[in-house]
Amino acid sequence: MKFDILTLFPEMFEPLTKSIIGRATSKNILEINLINIRDFSKNKHKQVDDTPYGGGAGMLLKPDVVWDAYSSVKSDDSKVIYLSPQGKTLNQNKVEELAKYKHLILLCGHYEGIDQRVIDKINPEEISIGDYVLTGGEIPAMVLVDSVSRYVSGVLKNGSEEDESFSKDGLLEYPQYTKPEYFDGVRVPEILLSGHHENIAKWRRQEALRVTYNKRKDILENANLTEDDKKFLESIKNKI
Ligand code: 4GY
């Protein structure tokens, strides 16, 4: 999968050269290209921004500069995303949907934003990472690259994107335990030491339901639940 990231601050993306995403890039499973919008400046001062018409604080990215940066990467099969608090909030369903594209172009704003005419001309999908305001779209772009890349075949070891919070039927993840068997007077749940895979799977499912019920009742509404799941949830609710 190829990401072209349009930004004024390519040096902010160093985190993507580390760990799982860095490894996938080295193995050519991912291609992450950083395009410096400043390289498309029209003048000797490398100016990319200007004051807003009508007055007000801050600077806006100039439309011609942004258009030329975008034109340098756009292709027929590319999906363009503008990271902005005005977009729909990113969730795991959207992450999985975006992972199906071969080429994503991510447009990062900075300062007060981008001239509206070039946003309208590019017509990107606007995506937000949450209802708060950041100084630029770079951190949101990294969040998007990281979350989407986990669904690209070969990035994770087989199946590890399947079994966790939100992806397994829209439930939170069950609790996990490792050695030592006793820590601070607390034993690992006995069933996990039993070697009985069927019982362990059932216990994990019920713990996932319990955690989701306790922490995120809101997402239970859209979870993919069996009749057994519903019975178990009833048994929690009726417990004092
Ligand atoms: N939240 N989700 C977000 C953001 C900052 C001015 C446009 C967010 O995605 N982006 O807060 N972005 C602004 C700063 C230019 C982006």
Side-chain angles (χ1 to χ4, degrees):
M1 176 166 209
K2 180 165 86 171
F3 296 93
D4 283 322
I5 305 177
L6 304 169
T7 173
L8 280 175
F9 297 96
E11 50 309 340
M12 284 182 72
F13 290 84
E14 200 182 320
L16 298 181
T17 67
K18 316 293 183 191
S19 184
I20 295 168
I21 305 302
R23 193 150 48 240
T25 306
S26 299
K27 286 164 68 180
N28 297 314
I29 298 165
L30 301 175
E31 179 182 347
I32 303 174
N33 299 133
L34 300 170
I35 298 94
N36 192 338
I37 294 170
R38 195 170 297 281
D39 292 346
F40 297 85
S41 166
K42 308 290 144 207
N43 63 44
K44 57 184 178 297
H45 304 108
K46 296 266 177 102
Q47 184 194 4
V48 292
D49 55 355
D50 214 326
T51 54
Y53 279 113
M59 300 290 270
L60 295 172
L61 289 180
K62 293 161 69 66
D64 49 345
V65 175
V66 171
W67 178 255
D68 288 354
Y70 167 70
S71 298
S72 78
V73 295
K74 77 166 157 31
S75 67
D76 296 332
D77 67 342
S78 52
K79 164 89 174 167
V80 192
I81 296 165
Y82 176 43
L83 287 311
S84 149
Q86 295 187 10
K88 286 241 183 71
T89 310
L90 186 64
N91 61 29
Q92 202 66 20
N93 286 335
K94 176 59 77 173
V95 164
E96 291 192 44
E97 177 192 317
L98 293 176
K100 297 186 172 100
Y101 289 90
K102 287 208 292 255
H103 182 201
L104 294 182
I105 297 174
L106 308 183
L107 176 57
C108 303
H110 221 93
Y111 313 124
E112 295 308 305
I114 304 179
D115 183 289
Q116 189 60 41
R117 292 168 295 181
V118 72
I119 297 173
D120 293 345
K121 185 170 163 75
I122 293 172
N123 191 218
E125 177 168 351
E126 288 192 43
I127 295 179
S128 166
I129 63 160
D131 291 339
Y132 38 78
V133 182
L134 303 169
T135 56
E138 284 78 12
I139 291 172
M142 284 189 265
V143 167
L144 193 145
V145 169
D146 189 283
S147 57
V148 169
S149 295
R150 297 179 64 262
Y151 285 89
V152 174
S153 174
V155 171
L156 298 184
K157 60 180 190 301
N158 272 333
S160 39
E161 74 276 21
E162 295 288 287
D163 230 39
E164 74 214 326
S165 295
F166 290 112
S167 34
K168 184 83 183 255
D169 296 326
L171 295 174
L172 299 181
E173 197 182 5
Y174 51 79
Q176 299 203 80
Y177 302 85
T178 188
K179 287 171 273 295
E181 194 175 326
Y182 295 94
F183 168 69
D184 200 27
V186 185
R187 209 177 183 287
V188 170
E190 180 174 300
I191 191 160
L192 298 178
L193 310 174
S194 71
H196 195 306
H197 302 301
E198 198 180 317
N199 287 352
I200 291 171
K202 183 179 174 192
W203 180 86
R204 285 178 165 170
R205 180 71 180 190
Q206 294 187 338
E207 288 305 301
L209 291 162
R210 188 195 310 282
V211 168
T212 310
Y213 178 80
N214 287 335
K215 298 184 178 177
R216 291 293 305 273
K217 274 189 197 60
D218 60 313
I219 65 171
L220 263 186
E221 313 298 307
N222 299 308
N224 194 1
L225 302 178
T226 66
E227 286 308 312
D228 277 357
D229 292 338
K230 291 174 190 169
K231 275 187 210 156
F232 180 73
L233 284 169
E234 280 306 315
S235 80
I236 299 176
K237 288 179 202 173
N238 298 331
K239 201 165 152 191
I240 319 155

Short mmCIF file of all heavy atoms in Angstrom, two decimals, residues 92 150-151 156-157 159-178 192 200-216 219-220 223 232:
data_model
loop_
_atom_site.label_atom_id
_atom_site.label_comp_id
_atom_site.label_asym_id
_atom_site.label_seq_id
_atom_site.Cartn_x
_atom_site.Cartn_y
_atom_site.Cartn_z
N GLN A 92 -12.88 2.13 13.69
CA GLN A 92 -12.27 0.90 13.16
C GLN A 92 -12.91 0.45 11.86
O GLN A 92 -12.24 -0.10 11.00
CB GLN A 92 -12.33 -0.20 14.22
CG GLN A 92 -11.29 -1.30 14.04
CD GLN A 92 -9.87 -0.83 14.23
OE1 GLN A 92 -9.61 0.19 14.85
NE2 GLN A 92 -8.93 -1.58 13.71
N ARG A 150 -2.11 -1.64 9.83
CA ARG A 150 -2.30 -2.90 10.55
C ARG A 150 -3.17 -3.88 9.78
O ARG A 150 -3.15 -5.08 10.05
CB ARG A 150 -2.91 -2.63 11.93
CG ARG A 150 -2.03 -1.80 12.84
CD ARG A 150 -2.66 -1.51 14.18
NE ARG A 150 -2.88 -2.72 14.95
CZ ARG A 150 -4.01 -3.38 15.04
NH1 ARG A 150 -5.08 -2.93 14.43
NH2 ARG A 150 -4.10 -4.47 15.75
N TYR A 151 -4.00 -3.37 8.85
CA TYR A 151 -4.87 -4.23 8.06
C TYR A 151 -4.26 -4.60 6.71
O TYR A 151 -4.89 -5.32 5.93
CB TYR A 151 -6.24 -3.59 7.86
CG TYR A 151 -7.06 -3.68 9.13
CD1 TYR A 151 -6.99 -2.68 10.09
CD2 TYR A 151 -7.83 -4.81 9.39
CE1 TYR A 151 -7.69 -2.79 11.28
CE2 TYR A 151 -8.53 -4.93 10.57
CZ TYR A 151 -8.46 -3.92 11.51
OH TYR A 151 -9.14 -4.04 12.69
N LEU A 156 1.27 -7.15 10.11
CA LEU A 156 1.25 -7.84 11.41
C LEU A 156 1.47 -9.31 11.19
O LEU A 156 1.27 -9.82 10.09
CB LEU A 156 -0.11 -7.64 12.10
CG LEU A 156 -0.54 -6.22 12.45
CD1 LEU A 156 -1.85 -6.25 13.20
CD2 LEU A 156 0.54 -5.50 13.25
N LYS A 157 1.86 -10.01 12.26
CA LYS A 157 1.91 -11.46 12.11
C LYS A 157 0.47 -11.98 12.04
O LYS A 157 -0.44 -11.38 12.60
CB LYS A 157 2.74 -12.13 13.20
CG LYS A 157 2.32 -11.95 14.63
CD LYS A 157 3.31 -12.73 15.50
CE LYS A 157 2.94 -12.87 16.94
NZ LYS A 157 2.74 -11.66 17.70
N GLY A 159 -3.16 -12.75 11.73
CA GLY A 159 -4.33 -12.82 12.60
C GLY A 159 -4.32 -11.85 13.75
O GLY A 159 -5.35 -11.67 14.39
N SER A 160 -3.23 -11.17 14.05
CA SER A 160 -3.22 -10.37 15.28
C SER A 160 -4.09 -9.12 15.17
O SER A 160 -4.37 -8.50 16.18
CB SER A 160 -1.80 -10.04 15.73
OG SER A 160 -0.95 -9.77 14.68
N GLU A 161 -4.54 -8.78 13.96
CA GLU A 161 -5.50 -7.66 13.84
C GLU A 161 -6.94 -8.13 14.07
O GLU A 161 -7.83 -7.33 14.23
CB GLU A 161 -5.36 -6.95 12.48
CG GLU A 161 -5.93 -7.70 11.28
CD GLU A 161 -4.99 -8.72 10.68
OE1 GLU A 161 -4.05 -9.18 11.38
OE2 GLU A 161 -5.19 -9.07 9.51
N GLU A 162 -7.13 -9.46 14.11
CA GLU A 162 -8.49 -10.01 14.16
C GLU A 162 -9.07 -10.04 15.57
O GLU A 162 -10.28 -9.91 15.75
CB GLU A 162 -8.47 -11.45 13.62
CG GLU A 162 -8.10 -11.54 12.16
CD GLU A 162 -9.20 -11.04 11.24
OE1 GLU A 162 -10.21 -11.75 11.12
OE2 GLU A 162 -9.07 -9.94 10.69
N ASP A 163 -8.23 -10.25 16.57
CA ASP A 163 -8.68 -10.71 17.88
C ASP A 163 -8.76 -9.62 18.95
O ASP A 163 -8.84 -9.92 20.12
CB ASP A 163 -7.71 -11.80 18.36
CG ASP A 163 -8.48 -13.04 18.81
OD1 ASP A 163 -9.46 -13.36 18.14
OD2 ASP A 163 -8.11 -13.62 19.82
N GLU A 164 -8.72 -8.36 18.56
CA GLU A 164 -8.53 -7.34 19.58
C GLU A 164 -9.68 -6.35 19.66
O GLU A 164 -10.68 -6.49 18.99
CB GLU A 164 -7.26 -6.58 19.25
CG GLU A 164 -7.61 -5.72 18.07
CD GLU A 164 -6.52 -5.51 17.13
OE1 GLU A 164 -5.38 -5.46 17.57
OE2 GLU A 164 -6.83 -5.39 15.96
N SER A 165 -9.49 -5.31 20.47
CA SER A 165 -10.53 -4.31 20.69
C SER A 165 -11.12 -3.81 19.39
O SER A 165 -10.39 -3.44 18.48
CB SER A 165 -9.95 -3.12 21.45
OG SER A 165 -9.56 -3.52 22.74
N PHE A 166 -12.43 -3.82 19.30
CA PHE A 166 -13.24 -3.31 18.21
C PHE A 166 -13.30 -4.21 17.00
O PHE A 166 -14.28 -4.17 16.26
CB PHE A 166 -12.76 -1.92 17.73
CG PHE A 166 -13.02 -0.84 18.71
CD1 PHE A 166 -11.97 -0.22 19.36
CD2 PHE A 166 -14.31 -0.45 19.01
CE1 PHE A 166 -12.21 0.78 20.29
CE2 PHE A 166 -14.56 0.55 19.93
CZ PHE A 166 -13.50 1.17 20.57
N SER A 167 -12.30 -5.04 16.72
CA SER A 167 -12.35 -5.76 15.45
C SER A 167 -13.09 -7.08 15.60
O SER A 167 -13.74 -7.52 14.66
CB SER A 167 -10.98 -5.95 14.84
OG SER A 167 -10.03 -6.12 15.83
N LYS A 168 -13.03 -7.71 16.78
CA LYS A 168 -13.75 -8.98 16.94
C LYS A 168 -15.20 -8.66 17.31
O LYS A 168 -15.51 -8.43 18.47
CB LYS A 168 -13.07 -9.84 18.02
CG LYS A 168 -13.67 -11.22 18.22
CD LYS A 168 -13.13 -12.21 17.20
CE LYS A 168 -13.78 -13.55 17.35
NZ LYS A 168 -12.95 -14.57 17.96
N ASP A 169 -16.04 -8.61 16.29
CA ASP A 169 -17.48 -8.37 16.49
C ASP A 169 -17.79 -7.06 17.20
O ASP A 169 -18.83 -6.92 17.83
CB ASP A 169 -18.11 -9.54 17.24
CG ASP A 169 -18.05 -10.84 16.44
OD1 ASP A 169 -18.15 -10.77 15.20
OD2 ASP A 169 -17.90 -11.91 17.05
N GLY A 170 -16.88 -6.09 17.13
CA GLY A 170 -17.13 -4.78 17.73
C GLY A 170 -17.09 -4.77 19.24
O GLY A 170 -17.68 -3.89 19.87
N LEU A 171 -16.38 -5.74 19.83
CA LEU A 171 -16.24 -5.79 21.30
C LEU A 171 -14.84 -5.36 21.70
O LEU A 171 -13.90 -5.45 20.91
CB LEU A 171 -16.48 -7.22 21.80
CG LEU A 171 -17.88 -7.80 21.59
CD1 LEU A 171 -17.89 -9.27 22.01
CD2 LEU A 171 -18.92 -7.00 22.37
N LEU A 172 -14.69 -4.93 22.93
CA LEU A 172 -13.36 -4.66 23.48
C LEU A 172 -12.65 -5.99 23.75
O LEU A 172 -13.28 -7.04 23.81
CB LEU A 172 -13.46 -3.84 24.77
CG LEU A 172 -14.11 -2.47 24.64
CD1 LEU A 172 -14.11 -1.75 26.00
CD2 LEU A 172 -13.40 -1.61 23.60
N GLU A 173 -11.34 -5.89 23.92
CA GLU A 173 -10.53 -7.09 24.09
C GLU A 173 -10.67 -7.68 25.50
O GLU A 173 -10.80 -6.94 26.47
CB GLU A 173 -9.06 -6.71 23.85
CG GLU A 173 -8.17 -7.90 23.59
CD GLU A 173 -6.71 -7.49 23.41
OE1 GLU A 173 -6.40 -6.30 23.57
OE2 GLU A 173 -5.89 -8.37 23.11
N TYR A 174 -10.64 -9.00 25.55
CA TYR A 174 -10.61 -9.69 26.86
C TYR A 174 -9.28 -9.43 27.56
O TYR A 174 -8.29 -9.15 26.90
CB TYR A 174 -10.84 -11.20 26.66
CG TYR A 174 -9.93 -11.83 25.62
CD1 TYR A 174 -8.61 -12.17 25.94
CD2 TYR A 174 -10.38 -12.06 24.33
CE1 TYR A 174 -7.77 -12.74 25.00
CE2 TYR A 174 -9.55 -12.63 23.37
CZ TYR A 174 -8.25 -12.97 23.72
OH TYR A 174 -7.42 -13.51 22.78
N PRO A 175 -9.24 -9.56 28.91
CA PRO A 175 -7.97 -9.34 29.62
C PRO A 175 -6.98 -10.48 29.32
O PRO A 175 -7.39 -11.61 29.06
CB PRO A 175 -8.38 -9.35 31.09
CG PRO A 175 -9.69 -10.06 31.15
CD PRO A 175 -10.36 -9.84 29.82
N GLN A 176 -5.69 -10.13 29.33
CA GLN A 176 -4.66 -11.13 29.05
C GLN A 176 -3.65 -11.17 30.19
O GLN A 176 -3.47 -10.20 30.92
CB GLN A 176 -3.96 -10.80 27.73
CG GLN A 176 -4.93 -10.82 26.56
CD GLN A 176 -4.24 -11.07 25.25
OE1 GLN A 176 -3.92 -12.21 24.91
NE2 GLN A 176 -3.99 -9.99 24.52
N TYR A 177 -2.97 -12.30 30.31
CA TYR A 177 -2.06 -12.55 31.43
C TYR A 177 -0.83 -13.28 30.92
O TYR A 177 -0.91 -14.08 30.00
CB TYR A 177 -2.76 -13.43 32.49
CG TYR A 177 -4.04 -12.80 33.02
CD1 TYR A 177 -5.24 -12.99 32.35
CD2 TYR A 177 -4.03 -12.01 34.17
CE1 TYR A 177 -6.42 -12.40 32.81
CE2 TYR A 177 -5.20 -11.41 34.63
CZ TYR A 177 -6.39 -11.62 33.95
OH TYR A 177 -7.54 -11.03 34.41
N THR A 178 0.32 -12.96 31.55
CA THR A 178 1.54 -13.70 31.26
C THR A 178 2.25 -14.06 32.57
O THR A 178 1.73 -13.80 33.65
CB THR A 178 2.46 -12.90 30.30
OG1 THR A 178 3.55 -13.74 29.90
CG2 THR A 178 3.00 -11.63 30.96
N LEU A 192 -7.20 -20.37 32.26
CA LEU A 192 -6.17 -20.13 31.24
C LEU A 192 -5.01 -21.12 31.36
O LEU A 192 -4.21 -21.26 30.43
CB LEU A 192 -5.66 -18.69 31.34
CG LEU A 192 -6.71 -17.60 31.08
CD1 LEU A 192 -6.10 -16.22 31.26
CD2 LEU A 192 -7.30 -17.74 29.68
N ILE A 200 -11.57 -22.00 27.24
CA ILE A 200 -10.82 -20.74 27.25
C ILE A 200 -11.46 -19.75 26.28
O ILE A 200 -11.66 -18.58 26.61
CB ILE A 200 -9.32 -20.99 26.91
CG1 ILE A 200 -8.64 -21.73 28.06
CG2 ILE A 200 -8.61 -19.67 26.61
CD1 ILE A 200 -7.23 -22.22 27.75
N ALA A 201 -11.82 -20.23 25.09
CA ALA A 201 -12.46 -19.35 24.09
C ALA A 201 -13.77 -18.79 24.63
O ALA A 201 -14.08 -17.60 24.45
CB ALA A 201 -12.67 -20.11 22.78
N LYS A 202 -14.55 -19.64 25.31
CA LYS A 202 -15.84 -19.21 25.87
C LYS A 202 -15.62 -18.17 26.97
O LYS A 202 -16.31 -17.14 27.02
CB LYS A 202 -16.60 -20.42 26.42
CG LYS A 202 -17.98 -20.05 26.95
CD LYS A 202 -18.75 -21.26 27.47
CE LYS A 202 -20.06 -20.81 28.11
NZ LYS A 202 -20.70 -21.88 28.88
N TRP A 203 -14.64 -18.46 27.85
CA TRP A 203 -14.31 -17.52 28.94
C TRP A 203 -13.88 -16.17 28.36
O TRP A 203 -14.32 -15.13 28.82
CB TRP A 203 -13.20 -18.11 29.81
CG TRP A 203 -12.80 -17.23 30.97
CD1 TRP A 203 -13.39 -17.18 32.20
CD2 TRP A 203 -11.73 -16.27 31.00
NE1 TRP A 203 -12.75 -16.25 32.99
CE2 TRP A 203 -11.74 -15.68 32.29
CE3 TRP A 203 -10.77 -15.86 30.06
CZ2 TRP A 203 -10.82 -14.70 32.66
CZ3 TRP A 203 -9.86 -14.87 30.45
CH2 TRP A 203 -9.89 -14.30 31.72
N ARG A 204 -13.02 -16.18 27.35
CA ARG A 204 -12.54 -14.93 26.74
C ARG A 204 -13.69 -14.13 26.13
O ARG A 204 -13.73 -12.91 26.24
CB ARG A 204 -11.45 -15.23 25.70
CG ARG A 204 -10.13 -15.60 26.35
CD ARG A 204 -9.08 -15.95 25.33
NE ARG A 204 -7.75 -15.95 25.96
CZ ARG A 204 -6.65 -16.40 25.38
NH1 ARG A 204 -6.71 -16.89 24.14
NH2 ARG A 204 -5.50 -16.36 26.02
N ARG A 205 -14.58 -14.84 25.46
CA ARG A 205 -15.75 -14.16 24.86
C ARG A 205 -16.56 -13.47 25.95
O ARG A 205 -16.96 -12.32 25.81
CB ARG A 205 -16.60 -15.19 24.12
CG ARG A 205 -17.84 -14.61 23.45
CD ARG A 205 -17.46 -13.77 22.26
NE ARG A 205 -18.62 -13.19 21.58
CZ ARG A 205 -18.57 -12.57 20.41
NH1 ARG A 205 -17.42 -12.42 19.78
NH2 ARG A 205 -19.65 -12.07 19.87
N GLN A 206 -16.80 -14.17 27.05
CA GLN A 206 -17.60 -13.61 28.14
C GLN A 206 -16.88 -12.44 28.81
O GLN A 206 -17.51 -11.43 29.16
CB GLN A 206 -17.97 -14.70 29.15
CG GLN A 206 -18.90 -15.74 28.51
CD GLN A 206 -19.45 -16.76 29.49
OE1 GLN A 206 -18.86 -17.00 30.56
NE2 GLN A 206 -20.54 -17.40 29.13
N GLU A 207 -15.56 -12.55 28.94
CA GLU A 207 -14.80 -11.43 29.53
C GLU A 207 -14.82 -10.22 28.59
O GLU A 207 -14.91 -9.08 29.05
CB GLU A 207 -13.36 -11.85 29.82
CG GLU A 207 -13.23 -12.81 30.99
CD GLU A 207 -13.85 -12.28 32.28
OE1 GLU A 207 -13.44 -11.19 32.74
OE2 GLU A 207 -14.78 -12.92 32.82
N ALA A 208 -14.76 -10.47 27.27
CA ALA A 208 -14.86 -9.37 26.30
C ALA A 208 -16.22 -8.67 26.43
O ALA A 208 -16.31 -7.45 26.41
CB ALA A 208 -14.66 -9.89 24.88
N LEU A 209 -17.27 -9.47 26.60
CA LEU A 209 -18.62 -8.91 26.79
C LEU A 209 -18.68 -8.11 28.09
O LEU A 209 -19.22 -7.00 28.13
CB LEU A 209 -19.66 -10.03 26.81
CG LEU A 209 -19.88 -10.74 25.47
CD1 LEU A 209 -20.57 -12.08 25.69
CD2 LEU A 209 -20.70 -9.85 24.52
N ARG A 210 -18.08 -8.66 29.17
CA ARG A 210 -18.11 -8.01 30.48
C ARG A 210 -17.37 -6.66 30.42
O ARG A 210 -17.87 -5.64 30.88
CB ARG A 210 -17.46 -8.92 31.52
CG ARG A 210 -17.60 -8.42 32.96
CD ARG A 210 -16.65 -9.13 33.93
NE ARG A 210 -16.68 -10.58 33.83
CZ ARG A 210 -17.63 -11.38 34.37
NH1 ARG A 210 -18.63 -10.83 35.03
NH2 ARG A 210 -17.55 -12.68 34.23
N VAL A 211 -16.17 -6.67 29.83
CA VAL A 211 -15.37 -5.44 29.73
C VAL A 211 -16.11 -4.39 28.91
O VAL A 211 -16.16 -3.21 29.29
CB VAL A 211 -13.99 -5.75 29.10
CG1 VAL A 211 -13.26 -4.47 28.74
CG2 VAL A 211 -13.13 -6.58 30.04
N THR A 212 -16.70 -4.82 27.80
CA THR A 212 -17.42 -3.87 26.95
C THR A 212 -18.63 -3.31 27.68
O THR A 212 -18.88 -2.09 27.64
CB THR A 212 -17.84 -4.54 25.63
OG1 THR A 212 -16.70 -5.20 25.06
CG2 THR A 212 -18.36 -3.50 24.63
N TYR A 213 -19.34 -4.16 28.38
CA TYR A 213 -20.51 -3.71 29.16
C TYR A 213 -20.08 -2.71 30.23
O TYR A 213 -20.73 -1.67 30.42
CB TYR A 213 -21.21 -4.92 29.79
CG TYR A 213 -22.40 -4.52 30.64
CD1 TYR A 213 -23.63 -4.22 30.05
CD2 TYR A 213 -22.28 -4.45 32.03
CE1 TYR A 213 -24.72 -3.83 30.83
CE2 TYR A 213 -23.37 -4.07 32.81
CZ TYR A 213 -24.58 -3.76 32.21
OH TYR A 213 -25.64 -3.38 32.97
N ASN A 214 -18.97 -2.99 30.92
CA ASN A 214 -18.52 -2.11 32.02
C ASN A 214 -17.93 -0.80 31.52
O ASN A 214 -18.11 0.24 32.15
CB ASN A 214 -17.49 -2.83 32.89
CG ASN A 214 -18.13 -3.90 33.76
OD1 ASN A 214 -19.33 -3.83 34.06
ND2 ASN A 214 -17.36 -4.90 34.14
N LYS A 215 -17.18 -0.84 30.40
CA LYS A 215 -16.43 0.35 29.98
C LYS A 215 -17.07 1.13 28.84
O LYS A 215 -16.87 2.33 28.74
CB LYS A 215 -15.00 -0.04 29.57
CG LYS A 215 -14.18 -0.65 30.69
CD LYS A 215 -12.77 -0.90 30.23
CE LYS A 215 -11.91 -1.46 31.37
NZ LYS A 215 -10.54 -1.77 30.89
N ARG A 216 -17.74 0.42 27.92
CA ARG A 216 -18.25 1.07 26.70
C ARG A 216 -19.62 0.52 26.31
O ARG A 216 -19.78 -0.03 25.20
CB ARG A 216 -17.24 0.87 25.55
CG ARG A 216 -15.92 1.65 25.72
CD ARG A 216 -16.09 3.17 25.64
NE ARG A 216 -16.74 3.58 24.41
CZ ARG A 216 -16.10 3.81 23.26
NH1 ARG A 216 -14.81 3.71 23.19
NH2 ARG A 216 -16.78 4.19 22.19
N ILE A 219 -20.89 1.12 22.67
CA ILE A 219 -20.54 0.34 21.46
C ILE A 219 -21.23 -1.03 21.43
O ILE A 219 -21.28 -1.69 20.39
CB ILE A 219 -19.02 0.19 21.25
CG1 ILE A 219 -18.36 -0.64 22.36
CG2 ILE A 219 -18.35 1.54 21.07
CD1 ILE A 219 -16.91 -0.99 22.05
N LEU A 220 -21.79 -1.47 22.56
CA LEU A 220 -22.51 -2.75 22.58
C LEU A 220 -23.71 -2.73 21.63
O LEU A 220 -24.08 -3.76 21.08
CB LEU A 220 -23.01 -3.04 24.00
CG LEU A 220 -22.16 -3.95 24.88
CD1 LEU A 220 -22.90 -4.23 26.17
CD2 LEU A 220 -21.81 -5.25 24.17
N ALA A 223 -22.58 -3.98 18.37
CA ALA A 223 -21.76 -5.20 18.37
C ALA A 223 -22.51 -6.36 17.72
O ALA A 223 -23.73 -6.38 17.66
CB ALA A 223 -21.36 -5.55 19.80
N PHE A 232 -25.66 -14.01 28.28
CA PHE A 232 -24.60 -13.70 29.24
C PHE A 232 -24.71 -12.25 29.71
O PHE A 232 -24.58 -11.97 30.91
CB PHE A 232 -23.22 -13.96 28.64
CG PHE A 232 -22.10 -13.65 29.59
CD1 PHE A 232 -21.84 -14.50 30.68
CD2 PHE A 232 -21.33 -12.51 29.45
CE1 PHE A 232 -20.83 -14.21 31.59
CE2 PHE A 232 -20.32 -12.21 30.36
CZ PHE A 232 -20.07 -13.07 31.43
#
